[in-house]
Structure formats: C-alpha cells, structure tokens
Amino acid sequence: MFMSNNACFVPTSFWLTGIPGLESLHLWFSIPFSSMYLVAVVGNVTILAVVKMERSLHQPMYFFLCMLAVIDLVLSTSTMPKLLAIFWFGAHNIDLDACLVQMFFIHCFATVESGIFLAMAFDRYVAICDPLRHTSVLTHTVVSRLGLAALLRGVLYIGPLPLMIHLRLSLYRTQIIAHSYCEHMAVVTLACGDTTVNNLYGMGIGFLVLILDSLAITASYVMIFRAVMGLATPEARFKTLGTCSSHICAILVFYIPIAVSSLTHRFGHHVPPHIHIILANFYLLIPPILNPVVYAVRTKQIRRRLLHILKARAQPK
C-alpha cells in the first residue's frame, strides 16, 4: 500500500515503475534489452580477453580500452539485471540502501568513463604531437595512475550524492519512482522539504564532468589536428588521423546519448515520460554495446586477433 501524495513518510524501499505508461509491453521490451545486454557483456569480455592474450596490444591505448570495457560492464550490470527482473518477474521493489548504491554506481562510473576518455585524449595527443617521448611519458605506471585518478575523481564527485540524500532527505511524498533505475533527480524530486542543495550539487557535478571534460578533449584534438595538418603528405595525414578514429567514435558514442537524454529531460516537457526512460536506458546501453564494435572494426590488431581465434576454433580437431 503506497502513501498518498499529500503525506510525507520515511520509506524503507522504493517502487521502480520500469517504463511508465507501457507496463503492458514490458515483456516485449525485455527482448531487445536482454539481447543488447548480452551483446554488451560478450563484447566487452571479448575485448578484455583479446588484449590479455595479444602481447602486441599491451600499449597505453589498449589498457585504457580495457578500463572502458570494465566500466561499461559495471554500468550495464548496475541497471539491466534489475530492469529485466521488472520486465520478467514484476520485481519493482528496491530497498532504500540498494537504491542509493545503484545510484552511486551509475553516476560514479559514468564519471569515471568520462575521465578515461580524457586520459585517452592525452595519450593520442602525446602519441601524435610528441611521438618520440610517447613510450617514456605513457608508461604502465602512468597509465595505472591515470586510471586510478579517474576512479578516485568519480568516487569523490559522486559519493556525496547518495550521502546527501541519506542525511538530508528522509521524508518522501511517495515510494513510486517513475523510472527504471534509481537516477539521482528521479529520487530527489520525490522528497519533502528543501532539495536546493541536492539539485545544485547534481548540476554542478554535471557541469564539471561533461562540460569541462568535453572542452579538454576538444582542446587536445585541436592541437592534434594542427600537428596533423603540418605533415607533408595527405597519406601521412590520413594515416595519423586513422589512429584517432576509434577514440573519436567512442567519444561520440558516449557523449551524444548523454546530450540527447539531458536535453530531452531538461527541455522536452511535451515528450512522453516513457520516451525519457527509454532514452535514459539507451544512454547506459549504447556505449557498452558499440565501444567493442568500434574498436574491433577500426583496430587492425584486435580485428586480426579475433579472426585468428575464430579460425582456430573453426578448424576440426
């Protein structure tokens, strides 16, 4: 039994609606979502296995790619099992603590992924603008520290989000979250009392992560393009830019869904709620699906190793 909207109470759990307004189609939605989740898991595990087996891929760019694969696995696994449980078993209920943990993992690892893209942009900048120092600058230790810095930044930025909800927002008007997972604003809007601090902090973190990271990545590529334009022949320019193509595609795959989802959420007041929710889920699924595909297609070493594995398994024993 849910409390009425005019009464505030202390909940022990929340009720995730899944895709509001389309509850009768949940079983049908489970087919594409479960398929995409399976593709994401298989694709990212394959990338991890290929980089581990192929010693020629033990380079900074591929170590960063492995970090992306782990992050994508965490992001998709933070939401998809619960979403599929809602679709298949009607398991809408989620404990308050579990909701806050899910919120932390989603926002934290999205922040970490943005940090890894920034580190990859730095790697491409050094590789193209100062190639003689690339191996001495981007050592295994430096790559590990950059990955750890991205992780710590995510924890420090996002840790206060669920903590402030736990400490400041104890009373809620309803248990029903009109979403398929515990997104920060979806929870905060249910709270009684003043949520200004929570709203401002969430918006500030969004600005710091998305805007500043994207500006830094853009600045690095401006310098990269200036260096490339100084090369003698078109063939050299094309070959050099080709080393950045996978990274550029991965950045677009990550930032475009975020931008579309955010703009739709902020300004699409006439967009039906189920469209908001579907876009929000795609934002967490598209990068984990497409990142392995982009790097497998665009990277010759990964493509060659994958073909070698497939041919070896196809041969009769």
Side-chain angles (χ1 to χ4, degrees), residues 1-309:
M1 179 72 68
F2 297 114
M3 302 292 290
S4 62
N5 288 338
N6 59 1
C8 293
F9 66 103
V10 179
T12 57
S13 63
F14 288 109
W15 181 272
L16 295 170
T17 59
I19 301 179
L22 298 176
E23 287 83 359
S24 61
L25 299 176
H26 275 182
L27 191 60
W28 292 105
F29 274 116
S30 71
I31 298 173
F33 276 103
S34 60
S35 301
M36 288 188 289
Y37 178 52
L38 180 62
V39 170
V41 171
V42 172
N44 285 286
V45 169
T46 301
I47 290 292
L48 291 171
V50 168
V51 173
K52 180 181 179 181
M53 290 188 293
E54 184 61 54
R55 294 192 62 83
S56 66
L57 298 178
H58 292 184
Q59 301 173 26
M61 185 173 73
Y62 302 108
F63 289 142
F64 287 129
L65 177 58
C66 287
M67 295 178 195
L68 281 184
V70 172
I71 292 166
D72 286 340
L73 286 171
V74 173
L75 273 176
S76 56
T77 304
S78 296
T79 56
M80 284 305 111
K82 180 60 180 178
L83 179 61
L84 294 176
I86 293 172
F87 287 164
W88 288 335
F89 311 115
H92 296 270
N93 198 63
I94 183 169
D95 290 340
L96 174 61
D97 291 339
C99 182
L100 296 180
V101 169
Q102 185 188 54
M103 179 192 301
F104 171 77
F105 272 92
I106 292 168
H107 295 295
C108 176
F109 279 89
T111 303
V112 175
E113 184 154 8
S114 183
I116 295 300
F117 280 126
L118 183 57
M120 294 174 80
F122 175 68
D123 168 63
R124 291 298 85 204
Y125 167 75
V126 176
I128 292 171
C129 298
D130 198 0
L132 296 179
R133 298 183 60 228
H134 182 247
T135 54
S136 60
V137 173
L138 271 298
T139 62
H140 290 185
T141 301
V142 171
V143 171
S144 301
R145 287 176 179 174
L146 288 173
L148 181 60
L151 177 61
L152 289 176
R153 187 186 73 152
V155 172
L156 291 174
Y157 280 9
I158 303 302
L161 285 180
L163 189 61
M164 286 193 298
I165 289 177
H166 180 72
L167 295 177
R168 298 186 73 254
L169 307 177
S170 57
L171 296 174
Y172 293 83
R173 289 184 293 271
T174 178
Q175 290 174 277
I176 303 174
I177 300 176
H179 212 297
S180 58
Y181 57 82
C182 290
E183 195 268 336
H184 175 248
M185 288 308 301
V187 176
V188 169
T189 52
L190 304 181
C192 299
D194 186 11
T195 61
T196 304
V197 174
N198 302 75
N199 291 330
L200 289 177
Y201 186 82
M203 291 175 62
I205 292 302
F207 175 81
L208 281 175
V209 174
L210 297 179
I211 304 300
L212 295 186
D213 281 8
S214 59
L215 287 176
I217 291 170
T218 301
S220 70
Y221 269 99
V222 167
M223 292 184 283
I224 287 172
F225 288 140
R226 288 179 60 186
V228 169
M229 291 301 104
L231 296 176
T233 64
E235 291 79 8
R237 295 172 194 165
F238 182 78
K239 183 177 180 181
T240 304
L241 284 176
T243 64
C244 301
S245 59
S246 298
H247 183 230
I248 294 172
C249 290
I251 289 172
L252 295 176
V253 163
F254 179 73
Y255 283 107
I256 288 177
I258 292 179
V260 171
S261 180
S262 298
L263 290 173
T264 305
H265 182 75
R266 297 287 179 187
F267 304 109
H269 303 297
H270 301 294
V271 177
H274 62 267
I275 299 297
H276 288 291
I277 306 306
I278 292 172
L279 287 175
N281 281 284
F282 280 163
Y283 142 63
L284 293 176
L285 266 180
I286 290 176
I289 291 171
L290 292 185
N291 281 343
V293 174
V294 166
Y295 278 93
V297 171
R298 300 291 305 171
T299 307
K300 182 169 63 177
Q301 295 96 321
I302 293 179
R303 188 168 66 248
R304 188 167 53 205
R305 183 66 185 183
L306 281 173
L307 291 174
H308 175 75
I309 293 172

